[in-house]
Amino acid sequence: RVLQETGGNFFAPTVLTGVTPEMRCFREETFGPLAPVLTFRSDEEALKLANDTRYGLAAYFYTRDLARAWRVAEGLQFGMVGINETAIVAPVAPFGGWKESGLGTEHSKYGLDDFLQKKYVCMGLQ
């Protein structure tokens, strides 16, 4: 819902249910307060749905099972993953997406890697 009191410049936070992979909200990388919700029967199906995108900036999920948390996080094709947490950006953490969600990484010690050319030189001395 567009908030008319803002001159139409803001969209109210919205949860969409009944979403299918064919819908635009599932296919596009939305930068706004929109949460499309899909159902799944297994972790494998959830990973297939989540990774079926051209984008890969960030993914978030909730679980109480630590083994499941690591298994799912490792299977997600995203540059950043939040487990039971949405505030995942920090100066010491690499910020960057996979696929069409950007090239390179900002922040952390890895932020400068894209600006450097590394060279290994090995010299044998007699």
Side-chain angles (χ1 to χ4, degrees):
R1 169 176 81 82
V2 175
L3 300 175
Q4 296 305 324
E5 61 271 19
T6 66
N9 293 318
F10 294 95
F11 193 83
T14 303
V15 175
L16 299 175
T17 60
V19 175
T20 66
E22 296 75 34
M23 293 179 169
R24 184 176 177 183
C25 63
F26 181 82
R27 292 275 158 221
E28 293 185 357
E29 188 173 43
T30 304
F31 290 94
L34 184 67
V37 177
L38 286 82
T39 59
F40 58 91
R41 295 184 188 277
S42 67
D43 290 350
E44 293 75 22
E45 182 184 6
L47 286 169
K48 182 179 177 190
L49 287 166
N51 293 331
D52 183 23
T53 178
R54 300 181 323 210
Y55 307 105
L57 182 57
Y60 308 87
F61 68 96
Y62 292 82
T63 183
R64 293 183 185 137
D65 183 333
L66 187 58
R68 182 185 203 193
W70 285 113
R71 185 175 59 252
V72 172
E74 289 176 359
L76 287 166
Q77 298 169 2
F78 292 80
M80 301 177 292
V81 177
I83 305 169
N84 301 335
E85 180 62 67
T86 59
I88 61 174
V89 178
V92 296
F95 180 96
W98 291 9
K99 305 177 192 176
E100 291 184 29
S101 288
L103 299 173
T105 302
E106 302 172 20
H107 306 301
S108 79
K109 67 179 185 177
Y110 304 105
L112 293 177
D113 284 352
D114 292 326
F115 300 97
L116 303 173
Q117 285 187 302
K118 297 171 192 72
K119 181 184 287 188
Y120 170 75
V121 177
C122 180
M123 179 186 298
L125 299 175
Q126 303 273 344

